[in-house]
Amino acid sequence: AIIQHIAVCDLLLSAMILQRTVVLARASDQALGAGLCYLKAYFGAYTMSASVFLICAMTLSKYLLLKYPLKAGPVTTKQAHKLCVAMWTISLYFPITFLLTDRRDVS
């Protein structure tokens, strides 16, 4: 289940990069306006931090399974989805600085 969340995160990041490439090929980056400039930077940082947190969660679960094979039971799909939702939620707060910076600093 964690792998599926990582795949969704990577797909969202790829779509954002593709959108930026298309906009830059057709017009300037400022064609989207100041609001979308902030959101684009926030969304990019959000998906990257979510991806890092999801990979860390997957690695930690594998480590605990190897370190404590008798204590750490199998992770159910429901538990994995709860962990992923927590990682997505925590990731919302890290790129908040992009919304607080000057528009010229965000590109």
Side-chain angles (χ1 to χ4, degrees), residues 3-4 7 13 16 19 21-22 24-25 28-32 35 37 41 66 68 71-72 75 87 101:
I3 294 290
Q4 294 166 344
L13 186 61
M16 187 203 64
Q19 179 268 339
T21 305
V22 169
L24 286 175
S28 71
D29 198 27
Q30 296 300 322
L32 297 175
C37 185
L66 290 173
Y68 307 106
K71 290 182 184 177
V75 178
M87 295 297 111
T101 57

Side-chain angles (χ1 to χ4, degrees), residues 1-2 57 61-62 64-65 72-81 83:
I2 295 176
S61 70
K62 299 302 178 193
L64 291 174
L65 188 62
V75 178
T76 64
T77 305
K78 187 175 182 178
Q79 290 172 334
H81 283 299
L83 178 66

Side-chain angles (χ1 to χ4, degrees), residues 62-98:
K62 299 302 178 193
Y63 169 75
L64 291 174
L65 188 62
L66 290 173
K67 177 106 173 144
Y68 307 106
L70 299 177
K71 290 182 184 177
V75 178
T76 64
T77 305
K78 187 175 182 178
Q79 290 172 334
H81 283 299
K82 283 182 181 179
L83 178 66
C84 291
V85 167
M87 295 297 111
W88 281 101
T89 305
I90 290 170
S91 298
L92 283 171
Y93 298 105
F94 281 97
I96 205 84
T97 56
F98 283 103

